[in-house]
Amino acid sequence: MKSFGRMCSTLSRKPLWIFDRRRGIMRVGVDYYPEHWDESRWETDARLMREAGISVVRLAEFSWCKLEPEEGRYDFSWLDRALEVLHREGIQAVLGTPTATPPAWLHQRYDIYPRDARRYPLGFGTRLQRCLNHPVMRRYSRLITEAMVSHYAHHPAVIGWQTDNEFEANLCYCDVCADLFRQWLQRKYGSLQALNRAWGTIFWSQEYTNWSQIPLPWVARCGQSHNPSLWLDYRRFASESTVSFQREQVEIIRRLAPHHFVTHNFMGLHDSLDYFALAQDLDFVAWDNYPSGNWKEAGHAELAHDVMRGIKQKNFWVMEEQSGIPGWEYIGRRPAPGQIRAWAWQAVAHGADAVVFFRWRSCLYGTEQYWHGILNHDGIPRRRYREVARFGEEMNRLSAELDGTTLHHQVAILNSYEQNWALQIQPQVNGLSWWEQVRRFYYSFRRLGAGVDIVPIDADLSQYRVIVLPSWYILTERDAQRLSEYVRQGGTLIVNPRTGVKDERNVCRTEPLPSLLREVAGVEIDDYDPLGTDENRIRLHSGEEFAVSVWADALILQGAEEVAVYTRSIFAGETAIACHRFGGGTVYTLGTYGEPALYDTLLGRVLDEAGVETMPGVPEGVDACWREKEGARYLFLVNLSGEERSVPVPEGVTTLLGASPHGGMVNLSPYEVGIYRTGS
Amino acid sequence: MKSFGRMCSTLSRKPLWIFDRRRGIMRVGVDYYPEHWDESRWETDARLMREAGISVVRLAEFSWCKLEPEEGRYDFSWLDRALEVLHREGIQAVLGTPTATPPAWLHQRYDIYPRDARRYPLGFGTRLQRCLNHPVMRRYSRLITEAMVSHYAHHPAVIGWQTDNEFEANLCYCDVCADLFRQWLQRKYGSLQALNRAWGTIFWSQEYTNWSQIPLPWVARCGQSHNPSLWLDYRRFASESTVSFQREQVEIIRRLAPHHFVTHNFMGLHDSLDYFALAQDLDFVAWDNYPSGNWKEAGHAELAHDVMRGIKQKNFWVMEEQSGIPGWEYIGRRPAPGQIRAWAWQAVAHGADAVVFFRWRSCLYGTEQYWHGILNHDGIPRRRYREVARFGEEMNRLSAELDGTTLHHQVAILNSYEQNWALQIQPQVNGLSWWEQVRRFYYSFRRLGAGVDIVPIDADLSQYRVIVLPSWYILTERDAQRLSEYVRQGGTLIVNPRTGVKDERNVCRTEPLPSLLREVAGVEIDDYDPLGTDENRIRLHSGEEFAVSVWADALILQGAEEVAVYTRSIFAGETAIACHRFGGGTVYTLGTYGEPALYDTLLGRVLDEAGVETMPGVPEGVDACWREKEGARYLFLVNLSGEERSVPVPEGVTTLLGASPHGGMVNLSPYEVGIYRTGS
Amino acid sequence: MKSFGRMCSTLSRKPLWIFDRRRGIMRVGVDYYPEHWDESRWETDARLMREAGISVVRLAEFSWCKLEPEEGRYDFSWLDRALEVLHREGIQAVLGTPTATPPAWLHQRYDIYPRDARRYPLGFGTRLQRCLNHPVMRRYSRLITEAMVSHYAHHPAVIGWQTDNEFEANLCYCDVCADLFRQWLQRKYGSLQALNRAWGTIFWSQEYTNWSQIPLPWVARCGQSHNPSLWLDYRRFASESTVSFQREQVEIIRRLAPHHFVTHNFMGLHDSLDYFALAQDLDFVAWDNYPSGNWKEAGHAELAHDVMRGIKQKNFWVMEEQSGIPGWEYIGRRPAPGQIRAWAWQAVAHGADAVVFFRWRSCLYGTEQYWHGILNHDGIPRRRYREVARFGEEMNRLSAELDGTTLHHQVAILNSYEQNWALQIQPQVNGLSWWEQVRRFYYSFRRLGAGVDIVPIDADLSQYRVIVLPSWYILTERDAQRLSEYVRQGGTLIVNPRTGVKDERNVCRTEPLPSLLREVAGVEIDDYDPLGTDENRIRLHSGEEFAVSVWADALILQGAEEVAVYTRSIFAGETAIACHRFGGGTVYTLGTYGEPALYDTLLGRVLDEAGVETMPGVPEGVDACWREKEGARYLFLVNLSGEERSVPVPEGVTTLLGASPHGGMVNLSPYEVGIYRTGS
């Protein structure tokens, strides 16, 4: 334990973190790697940061070899000096545990490399070259975490921690994982007899008579077409492995620095890992937002922001916000002028309380030489610096006002990583993937002017008037009861195809589909046609026709009313969509997936019926969000398009940022932002 | 040995199998997995089967772990009980030897996993995880086969056996295979000197001085571009390995249950294996017919049926007939209403004597959860059950009449797995593959109204008026003599490019092409241009022009007459097709491959010249076949299209099934079937 | 040592090689494999060769197993006999060291197989199955080379040597390579501290504390996305490994047969290897020219010829000239009539002094059965033989006149394998690859009628009026000084994007771009937009507009004048091209890559300004080159198109070959050739 008092005596030693209201929680930050640069540059960097309105940095998450240059010898001196320089400019720090890149000396001594599905060891030279289940990795992770947290627990500049970096499920195929998986199964099933029965290993003569016979889903004679029950348990195990690895670090931080926050940098729509479980041990979610092409949603960060806000159902940080061209060997386009600032304000509009830009300066070395920072390699403040500084000034100016605001919606889409994995294991047809389903509904609601929450099934469902259930492929009794109860109490539930197909073992249910939801939905599925990219057509009773694809269920009405009918073979005349009044609520069962206009038509009526408030008329390319706190509502308008847009704005708003309305309309230039207060 | 007398005393103990005429051989069956279901369901299943006209089931081919739950302990009790339930409903059984999926305990004790071309072991968890050459696999295969056949040799419900499941060539790259391959070569060539000379190993300095130096075609510095002579011998060896594996089982069955038939479920156009050799040890061929996309002939089962009938040149079974959506992780479309029945009748039209549907009920577990059966997971008889039941009723009604009929044609296409492998080893250009060549001729003949046999070169060629020889790439003296003799005796032979290029060592011949067929063809090839997907054009002497591609030989006439000439560079003016009268017959030498209209024009004249009977006017989408027996001919018309079709029908036919003709025409609704008797 | 005097007593024993003027250096040859054929055929072959004008053969480069059938027992008798037969017909020989295909007995005794990036051993059965760094391979290579050169040093028919065959960089991932790479690094960097600093291993915590920790770029968790500094050093090491392997052979030949020449068969645009370094040990470059599709320049041999001439900046041989259909399992189109001869004359036009056709006769055996020779498998002289013979007659007739001529140009494009590798390691965007850049300029200069040299940066730059610098991504002080000096002395330099980005460590420079060339270029790059396949547009000050793509730099003028401006977002109004007068010369800085018309317009003006002589008006498809010697200039016109072309020809030329001019124009039929003398 070291005293840092001397070097920063003029600053409060009281920990200052996210829930401290005195300075406001809204802040602008940057990811900084002082270890990449000559110390003589640090003061220039810190000054330029401060001048750009930056008040927080994330540090050290890839610096294990510098923090522990040889086994057991820790060296925090360089980081102490960096923190001192930063702190002098009023900048606080989030420290990363450096376990995503163990040092070479550790690998030389122990083989902790993860294995791929052919058991090939994924060795040194890039990153993530460690199996999170390996006991040696666990031990060294705890040791470096303890040393680091002990050292910085009472550092006045340090406010919190990021665990590791961009966790994924530990989809490793090494022998340690094989053994632990078998132990995990033993705990779960008790006996091999129970496991054989649960998985149905009689199929293809796979009954196990010894625990050691159970394989990981290694590449085999039929590729990786293993038993789907084994697959799902392996996916659960691999996800839990990562969660338990993180938990060891979190427990150390809680013990040694209980006044610090702990977070992790999530990856938006990444889905190898149960993000709900990972977040449970954290104070809040942070995530890495690269709108121009990464994390699967090219050019569309809004869905990912809402997914991230839904993980803990509260505001979040952006821990890495794109500030330039991204890429490794291949790189992307330069963001247009204004686009970086627009993306940053969009993050805030969707619930970010801090925006930390990645990264300060483009690195001279290594694989990410061209993952550009705010500064180019030459370190000279140019266009992107000026844009970030403009955002910094605005954000700091408005933070006192916006502090404490968050988003409230009447519509939700349920999210589940387990469903997602099960659909990855059996995609069945093109178009059935989890996020493709979520997108269909999400973007339709947004076009209709409704904000959307994306939440787990154990959220408080009663706060929502309308809930969408994407393929709830694996349906438990408990989930079925929660959903029935929600409808009974007056909610509107929208059920999609492939719901209730399996039980929690990933084994097919024998009840007619949608199995446990038959009664509440008032329908039974007689037959189905996996359309994939082929098409059928449906006609609503109101007369409109739409193309449908992906999947077609032929519904038998058992209390429900027909809403739409197929018009083409092989299901011409069969029911495609049904509506059932159940208890105080309503269930729409959709037997198929349609073109966007289908959802805009159908969901428009559903929102009307359910009395959901919407803000219609927002043109394409403009992202409109409301943040609220007691008495005050703040409308954020972000023009993400490269063209001017006119947006209707309520009467009597106060302009906090950007152009003022005229005649109920505001004109937003390309990539421009407006913030308007109403109420209070 | 157990007595089954008591439990089914009312039924004859006399074996009842395919050649027993008393009940007729035509029958409807289903593939059934009682081990996947609770025993309490078995009686319902058996009753529903009987009600659907089902009188035979295939059982047990993936149940090794249940038949021998631990080494040496056999348990047939569950299968006995299942057979009893089935037998009570009058259903007989074909049993599968369960060697496609050895149990986990066997793998735990011995490494018998096959290796891929990088020697990676293809381990447990899917199926086929065994090298058929491994002595341990051989031993355990014999043991389980002996135990099973001993137990069921005299069971009254058991009528025959299926060996293993869907055999492929044992294309394994393990050390056992390497050793056995070297021994195989030693037996074949006698000395290394002979092998070096035969393969031409002087090329690239590959002369072997020790047998152990000879590699399998493992992935090497130039991929798998090994010596083509080594490749072809390895393919022969891998095919023979599978045949000899099966032979061990067949010998046990012949010895212990000589009154039972033995078959295997082939895979249509699958071609890793010499199906002629595999079938030699069997009583008849059975095959697995999934018209909607599997076994390479999407939507076109007719060619595969005719290939399968040609293997032993007699009627066959369909051992797995598609009864629903197929697929593993990705799945296909639902068959249209009527399509399952149409496919089943199409099988009979092409020579099937039994149609066994795959499978009774969609499995709740494992990789094939979505390879749908007649029943969905919910076990409730729905649309597909009703359709199968309709077919069952019809088939059982007509079986006495149709029993003993088979197909007779005047046109043949020669088939050879060895040519096929040699072309796989050296595809040369796109379009030259074996089946692509066969298809060009097959579909043209069918459009012209001629039925086609697809037979080996050692068939009785004299029964055919016209024979097509696809690229007979490897030409032996013996084959050349057979073909010359066929022509000399009056036959018409159609010779395609790349005939006679190689000798049986897969070494290029030094005679001018078409080498040993030069004299009979009356042409010599001066030069060739591998067109691939590029085009040239030809003009027939009768004036018509056609696009050609794939390959162009420039023919020099040495006795033949020119039939067509190239019209474009680089062979403009050269002979493209020639015709030679030789002995009593005729040889057409085709120097290139053309658009369909070329074949329709040319083959139309050839059929006329040769006096082949045809049935013209059958519209596209309708499959027309004749089955015959003494004095009676039966016309099968199957409308495989989704639209109504009008088909000309001979005068005075008797309608056995479907719509009756009016004015010489019959109208077939979509997927409808008609059967008409003429003569006797 | 053996005396060959007896068998060829009538021929001079004085070595006759490329610089011997008595018989002229221009000659026609063929690649011949007597070991593939029965000896009884050799005399026929040799006679047919002579009759076709062939006077040189290349022999023996794949015959190790026949030269050394068992360890230490050499057998040259068959090669002696072959040489005798050839020599009798006046044919001389180039012998290949046979080290591209070590014999099976060597591999049986030692594991010298190379490893791929997953350490999988690339074993026996194709070719190149040896790691060039393995000490065992080195030893056996020296032994066979010494034995062979000792035997043939004084053979009257032998004139020179080809080392190995088609060398590539030794991109092997075996443990021997790993160890040698570490030793190589130790020599280069001295200490780990220096290496860590040089590579910036602090990024992703990769600092090494022991030499043995350094990996080869094996496949890892993030594929092969290793540190680019490690990658570049590995590429240098792998290239040097091959060069040093060859050097051992060259030293033996120089010592034992100093009167023989030594060459190697290069591969045109192949770029894994530093061809400048490889050629340094050789007398001249030879290369393998397959215009129809190989070595990456389908249908365009001219660039590859000029690259090959630039390696040693002097005339070269073609050691393998396409004489038919090429290919392995898949094969190409037959060359059109006349095309083989046209390609051969094109080679001479670009500086070839000998054209050796591959190969005499299509081999009956092995992987290259369908890499066709002059003769087909049947060995009968047909069309291609007659075409080669025509070329042979012409070449031999003109060789006395053309002997000693070579090409001289005023325009150069700089070539560098190191830049090429660095761009392969980080392609950044589509279109930035080395050869794609070279092609843009090369073909524009050729369209404008200017011949082009393609030379290393250490060539005598002062001979050129205009020099193009493709992305000189890695810029050293020394290179920057050479280029500055060239401009200062009056040269015109054209600089492309991504110049000066890195230093020799493959680490980003911190100076504003184009870093060390900022002063001479008079510009600084403020920002860049990696366009890839997206587009922007630019407008020259002279008014023309052009589409641009791949990359866009926004130039800040610091002394230069603007030549072109971007017209579209995101850089609308920024400078795209600038021109700077510096010392006596001029620098054009191109911030982007354009459509062909941009180069035709811009380079047309640059050539005018710089006073470069051009020959305009040569139509597309005609390749026009000048060879010169004291006082005489020879114009070669080769019509590579399949259509007639009219070409302007200077007044008063003498026709040496082909059609004579009328009215200043000559008409060339498809694939026809004309040679015209002017001057003296």
Side-chain angles (χ1 to χ4, degrees), chain A residues 118 205-206 212-213 219 221 225 425-426 428 473 502 506 508 510 524 526-530 534 574, chain B residues 62 65 101 108 116 120 125-127 329-334 364 366-367 369-370 372 378 382-383:
Chain A
R118 291 175 179 264
S205 188
Q206 295 175 352
S212 69
Q213 295 162 353
V219 171
R221 186 60 168 68
S225 292
I425 293 166
Q426 291 173 319
Q428 300 167 73
Y473 193 50
K502 302 283 196 81
N506 211 8
C508 292
T510 53
E524 182 175 308
D526 186 42
D527 209 349
Y528 44 76
D529 186 15
D534 294 343
E574 308 268 358
Chain B
F62 289 121
C65 75
T101 48
Q108 189 176 30
D116 72 7
Y120 169 82
T126 64
R127 63 178 180 182
E329 293 87 5
Y330 284 89
I331 63 180
R333 294 286 307 272
R334 189 205 178 286
L364 306 182
T367 304
Q369 275 176 327
Y370 294 137
H372 289 69
D378 64 12
R382 297 184 187 273
R383 306 172 191 214

Side-chain angles (χ1 to χ4, degrees), chain B residues 54-295:
Chain B
I54 287 166
S55 64
V56 66
V57 294
R58 184 198 58 182
L59 295 172
E61 85 282 10
F62 289 121
S63 66
W64 192 340
C65 75
K66 204 167 170 71
L67 293 173
E68 189 180 3
E70 59 186 77
E71 182 162 2
R73 182 167 70 76
Y74 299 103
D75 177 6
F76 299 109
S77 60
W78 64 273
L79 188 52
D80 293 346
R81 291 194 298 279
L83 283 167
E84 182 176 351
V85 169
L86 292 160
H87 205 196
R88 256 190 247 121
E89 297 286 352
I91 298 169
Q92 295 178 310
V94 179
L95 298 182
T97 62
T99 43
T101 48
W105 56 254
L106 199 167
H107 292 287
Q108 189 176 30
R109 185 156 167 208
Y110 303 102
D111 177 359
I112 60 165
Y113 293 133
R115 262 61 179 172
D116 72 7
R118 292 175 177 265
R119 303 205 203 196
Y120 169 82
L122 298 159
F124 199 79
T126 64
R127 63 178 180 182
L128 311 179
Q129 72 278 2
R130 77 291 189 246
C131 169
L132 296 180
N133 276 326
H134 200 293
V136 167
M137 181 60 202
R138 292 279 177 119
R139 183 167 77 248
Y140 282 85
S141 158
R142 289 190 303 267
L143 289 170
I144 184 72
T145 302
E146 278 179 356
M148 210 173 163
V149 181
S150 299
H151 188 82
Y152 290 108
H154 300 287
H155 193 292
V158 176
I159 57 173
W161 296 84
Q162 171 190 298
T163 56
D164 205 87
N165 183 73
E166 295 179 351
F167 274 127
E168 302 176 16
N170 192 55
L171 291 163
C172 168
Y173 294 82
C174 77
D175 288 340
V176 166
C177 283
D179 282 347
L180 290 174
F181 180 50
R182 289 161 191 151
Q183 292 170 27
W184 185 93
L185 293 171
Q186 208 160 351
R187 285 194 301 276
K188 175 168 183 174
Y189 293 104
S191 72
L192 276 174
Q193 199 187 358
L195 177 142
N196 282 322
R197 206 170 28 217
W199 287 4
T201 51
I202 182 61
F203 179 80
W204 282 357
S205 189
Q206 295 174 353
E207 290 188 335
Y208 299 105
T209 56
N210 188 305
W211 290 99
S212 69
Q213 294 161 355
I214 301 172
L216 297 187
W218 289 301
V219 171
R221 186 60 167 67
C222 306
Q224 287 190 280
S225 291
H226 285 265
N227 185 318
S229 299
L230 178 148
W231 254 122
L232 185 57
D233 270 342
Y234 171 68
R235 296 295 302 263
R236 288 166 174 146
F237 165 76
S239 177
E240 290 183 21
S241 298
T242 300
V243 171
S244 90
F245 177 86
Q246 173 181 266
R247 186 168 301 135
E248 291 189 354
Q249 296 193 352
V250 173
E251 284 169 358
I252 290 165
I253 301 168
R254 297 287 184 220
R255 176 162 49 83
L256 298 176
H259 49 298
H260 284 171
F261 66 75
V262 189
T263 187
H264 174 75
N265 54 337
F266 290 60
M267 292 187 284
L269 302 189
H270 179 86
D271 49 24
S272 75
L273 192 54
D274 186 338
Y275 270 173
F276 297 121
L278 190 77
Q280 219 153 23
D281 294 324
L282 303 175
D283 289 302
F284 56 87
V285 163
W287 83 284
D288 296 349
N289 180 31
Y290 295 98
S292 82
N294 280 69
W295 319 148

Side-chain angles (χ1 to χ4, degrees), chain B residues 117-119 197-210 212-213 215-216 218-228 425-430 473 498 501-502 505-513 524-531 534 551 554 556 569-571 574, chain C residues 35-37 62-66 69-70 98 101-106 108 114 116 118 120-130 168-169 171 325 328-337 359 361-370 372 376-380 382-384 386:
Chain B
R118 292 175 177 265
R119 303 205 203 196
R197 206 170 28 217
W199 287 4
T201 51
I202 182 61
F203 179 80
W204 282 357
S205 189
Q206 295 174 353
E207 290 188 335
Y208 299 105
T209 56
N210 188 305
S212 69
Q213 294 161 355
L216 297 187
W218 289 301
V219 171
R221 186 60 167 67
C222 306
Q224 287 190 280
S225 291
H226 285 265
N227 185 318
I425 293 165
Q426 292 174 318
Q428 299 167 74
V429 291
N430 286 320
Y473 192 51
R498 308 312 281 155
V501 175
K502 302 284 196 79
R505 302 170 300 164
N506 210 6
V507 162
C508 292
R509 290 196 165 278
T510 54
E511 302 89 353
L513 298 178
E524 181 175 309
I525 295 167
D526 187 43
D527 210 349
Y528 44 76
D529 186 15
L531 297 169
D534 295 344
W551 195 273
I556 301 175
S569 178
I570 59 173
F571 283 162
E574 309 267 359
Chain C
E35 70 272 28
H36 293 176
W37 304 97
F62 287 122
S63 66
W64 192 340
C65 76
K66 202 165 171 72
E70 60 187 77
T101 47
W105 55 255
L106 200 166
Q108 188 176 30
D116 72 7
R118 290 176 178 263
Y120 169 81
L122 299 159
F124 199 79
T126 65
R127 62 179 182 182
L128 309 179
Q129 72 278 2
R130 78 291 188 246
E168 302 177 14
L171 290 163
I325 298 158
W328 288 5
E329 292 86 6
Y330 283 89
I331 63 179
R333 292 287 307 269
R334 190 207 178 284
R359 53 188 165 175
R361 180 174 170 186
S362 311
C363 187
L364 306 182
Y365 314 107
T367 304
E368 294 195 344
Q369 275 176 326
Y370 294 136
H372 289 69
N376 283 341
H377 300 99
D378 64 11
I380 297 171
R382 298 184 187 272
R383 307 172 190 214
R384 299 196 304 279
R386 294 190 288 273

Side-chain angles (χ1 to χ4, degrees), chain C residues 337-352:
Chain C
Q339 203 166 18
I340 292 168
R341 172 177 166 264
W343 286 334
W345 274 118
Q346 182 189 28
V348 176
H350 281 267

